[in-house]
Coordinates of all heavy atoms in Angstrom, one line a residue:
D195 N 105.0 121.1 75.1 CA 103.6 121.2 74.7 C 102.7 120.6 75.8 O 102.9 119.5 76.2 CB 103.6 120.4 73.4 CG 102.1 120.3 72.9 OD1 101.4 121.2 73.1 OD2 101.9 119.2 72.3
K196 N 101.6 121.4 76.1 CA 100.7 120.9 77.1 C 99.3 120.6 76.5 O 98.3 120.4 77.2 CB 100.5 121.9 78.2 CG 101.8 122.2 79.0 CD 101.7 123.2 80.1 CE 103.0 123.6 80.7 NZ 104.0 124.2 79.8
S197 N 99.3 120.5 75.1 CA 98.0 120.2 74.5 C 97.5 118.8 74.8 O 96.3 118.5 74.7 CB 98.1 120.4 73.0 OG 99.1 119.5 72.4
R198 N 98.4 117.9 75.2 CA 98.0 116.6 75.7 C 98.4 116.5 77.1 O 99.5 116.0 77.5 CB 98.7 115.5 74.9 CG 98.1 115.4 73.4 CD 98.6 114.2 72.7 NE 100.1 114.1 72.6 CZ 100.8 113.1 72.9 NH1 100.2 111.9 73.1 NH2 102.1 113.1 72.8
P199 N 97.5 117.0 78.0 CA 97.9 117.1 79.4 C 98.4 115.8 80.1 O 99.4 115.8 80.8 CB 96.6 117.5 80.1 CG 95.7 118.0 79.0 CD 96.1 117.4 77.8
E200 N 97.8 114.7 79.7 CA 98.3 113.4 80.3 C 99.7 113.1 79.9 O 100.5 112.6 80.7 CB 97.4 112.3 79.8 CG 96.8 111.5 80.9 CD 95.7 110.5 80.5 OE1 95.6 110.3 79.3 OE2 95.0 110.1 81.3
A201 N 100.0 113.3 78.6 CA 101.4 113.0 78.1 C 102.4 114.0 78.8 O 103.5 113.6 79.2 CB 101.5 113.2 76.6
F202 N 102.0 115.2 79.0 CA 102.8 116.2 79.8 C 103.1 115.7 81.2 O 104.2 115.7 81.7 CB 102.1 117.5 79.8 CG 102.8 118.6 80.6 CD1 103.9 119.2 80.2 CD2 102.2 118.8 81.9 CE1 104.5 120.2 81.0 CE2 102.9 119.8 82.7 CZ 104.0 120.4 82.3
M203 N 102.0 115.3 81.9 CA 102.1 114.8 83.2 C 103.1 113.6 83.3 O 103.9 113.4 84.2 CB 100.7 114.4 83.8 CG 100.7 113.7 85.1 SD 101.4 114.7 86.4 CE 100.0 115.7 87.0
E204 N 102.9 112.6 82.4 CA 103.7 111.4 82.4 C 105.2 111.8 82.2 O 106.0 111.2 82.9 CB 103.3 110.5 81.2 CG 102.0 109.9 81.4 CD 102.0 108.8 82.5 OE1 101.8 109.2 83.7 OE2 102.2 107.6 82.2
A205 N 105.5 112.7 81.3 CA 106.9 113.1 81.1 C 107.5 113.7 82.4 O 108.7 113.5 82.7 CB 107.0 114.0 79.9
M206 N 106.7 114.5 83.0 CA 107.2 115.2 84.3 C 107.4 114.1 85.4 O 108.4 114.1 86.0 CB 106.1 116.2 84.8 CG 106.1 117.5 84.0 SD 107.6 118.5 84.2 CE 107.4 119.1 85.8
K207 N 106.4 113.2 85.5 CA 106.5 112.2 86.6 C 107.8 111.3 86.4 O 108.5 111.0 87.4 CB 105.3 111.3 86.5 CG 104.2 111.5 87.5 CD 102.9 110.9 87.1 CE 102.7 109.5 87.5 NZ 101.4 108.9 87.1
A208 N 108.0 110.9 85.2 CA 109.1 110.0 84.9 C 110.4 110.6 85.0 O 111.5 109.9 85.2 CB 108.9 109.5 83.5
S209 N 110.5 112.0 85.0 CA 111.8 112.6 85.1 C 112.5 112.3 86.5 O 113.7 112.4 86.6 CB 111.6 114.1 84.9 OG 111.1 114.7 86.1
G210 N 111.7 112.0 87.5 CA 112.3 111.7 88.8 C 113.3 110.6 88.8 O 114.4 110.7 89.3
E211 N 112.9 109.5 88.1 CA 113.8 108.4 88.0 C 114.9 108.6 86.9 O 116.0 108.3 87.1 CB 113.2 107.0 87.8 CG 111.7 106.8 87.9 CD 111.1 107.0 89.3 OE1 111.2 106.2 90.2 OE2 110.6 108.1 89.4
D212 N 114.4 109.3 85.8 CA 115.3 109.5 84.7 C 116.5 110.3 85.2 O 117.7 109.9 84.9 CB 114.6 110.2 83.6 CG 115.2 109.9 82.2 OD1 115.6 108.7 82.0 OD2 115.3 110.8 81.4
N213 N 116.3 111.4 85.8 CA 117.4 112.3 86.3 C 118.2 111.6 87.4 O 119.4 111.8 87.5 CB 116.9 113.6 86.7 CG 116.6 114.5 85.5 OD1 117.3 114.5 84.5 ND2 115.4 115.2 85.5
N214 N 117.5 110.8 88.2 CA 118.2 110.1 89.3 C 119.2 109.1 88.7 O 120.3 108.9 89.2 CB 117.3 109.5 90.3 CG 117.8 109.5 91.7 OD1 118.7 110.3 92.0 ND2 117.4 108.6 92.5
A215 N 118.8 108.4 87.7 CA 119.6 107.4 87.1 C 120.9 108.1 86.5 O 122.0 107.6 86.6 CB 118.9 106.7 86.0
K216 N 120.7 109.3 85.9 CA 121.9 110.0 85.4 C 122.8 110.5 86.5 O 124.0 110.4 86.4 CB 121.4 111.3 84.6 CG 120.7 110.9 83.3 CD 120.2 112.1 82.6 CE 119.4 111.6 81.3 NZ 118.5 112.6 80.8
L217 N 122.2 110.9 87.6 CA 123.0 111.3 88.8 C 123.8 110.1 89.4 O 125.0 110.2 89.6 CB 122.1 112.0 89.8 CG 122.8 112.6 91.0 CD1 121.9 113.8 91.5 CD2 123.1 111.7 92.2
V218 N 123.1 109.0 89.6 CA 123.8 107.8 90.2 C 124.9 107.3 89.2 O 126.0 107.0 89.7 CB 122.7 106.7 90.5 CG1 123.4 105.4 90.8 CG2 121.8 107.2 91.6
A219 N 124.6 107.3 87.9 CA 125.6 106.9 87.0 C 126.9 107.8 87.0 O 128.0 107.4 87.0 CB 125.1 106.9 85.5
A220 N 126.6 109.1 87.2 CA 127.7 110.1 87.3 C 128.5 109.8 88.5 O 129.7 109.9 88.5 CB 127.1 111.5 87.2
F221 N 127.8 109.5 89.6 CA 128.5 109.3 90.9 C 129.4 108.0 90.8 O 130.5 107.9 91.2 CB 127.5 109.2 92.0 CG 128.2 108.8 93.3 CD1 129.1 109.7 93.9 CD2 127.9 107.6 94.0 CE1 129.7 109.3 95.1 CE2 128.5 107.3 95.2 CZ 129.4 108.2 95.7
F222 N 128.8 106.9 90.2 CA 129.5 105.7 90.0 C 130.8 105.9 89.2 O 131.9 105.4 89.5 CB 128.7 104.6 89.3 CG 127.6 104.0 90.2 CD1 127.4 104.4 91.5 CD2 126.9 102.9 89.7 CE1 126.5 103.7 92.3 CE2 125.9 102.3 90.5 CZ 125.7 102.7 91.8
R223 N 130.7 106.7 88.1 CA 131.9 107.0 87.3 C 132.9 107.8 88.1 O 134.1 107.6 88.0 CB 131.4 107.8 86.0 CG 130.8 106.9 85.0 CD 130.8 107.6 83.6 NE 130.0 108.9 83.7 CZ 128.7 108.9 83.5 NH1 128.0 107.8 83.2 NH2 128.0 110.0 83.6
Y224 N 132.4 108.8 88.9 CA 133.3 109.6 89.7 C 134.1 108.7 90.7 O 135.2 108.9 91.0 CB 132.4 110.6 90.5 CG 133.1 111.4 91.6 CD1 134.2 112.2 91.3 CD2 132.6 111.3 92.9 CE1 134.8 112.9 92.4 CE2 133.2 111.9 93.9 CZ 134.3 112.7 93.7 OH 134.9 113.4 94.7
K225 N 133.4 107.6 91.1 CA 134.1 106.7 92.0 C 135.0 105.7 91.2 O 135.5 104.7 91.8 CB 133.1 105.9 92.8 CG 132.2 106.7 93.7 CD 133.0 107.2 94.9 CE 132.9 106.3 96.1 NZ 133.6 106.9 97.3
G226 N 135.0 105.8 89.9 CA 136.0 105.0 89.1 C 135.3 103.8 88.5 O 136.0 103.0 87.9

Side-chain angles (χ1 to χ4, degrees):
D195 172 34
K196 296 181 187 61
S197 61
R198 289 188 302 137
E200 234 171 13
F202 171 78
M203 172 61 88
E204 289 290 87
M206 285 293 286
K207 258 162 91 177
S209 74
E211 345 300 281
D212 205 38
N213 283 318
N214 211 24
K216 289 178 184 161
L217 189 148
V218 170
F221 177 62
F222 282 5
R223 281 197 299 275
Y224 168 62
K225 297 289 269 185

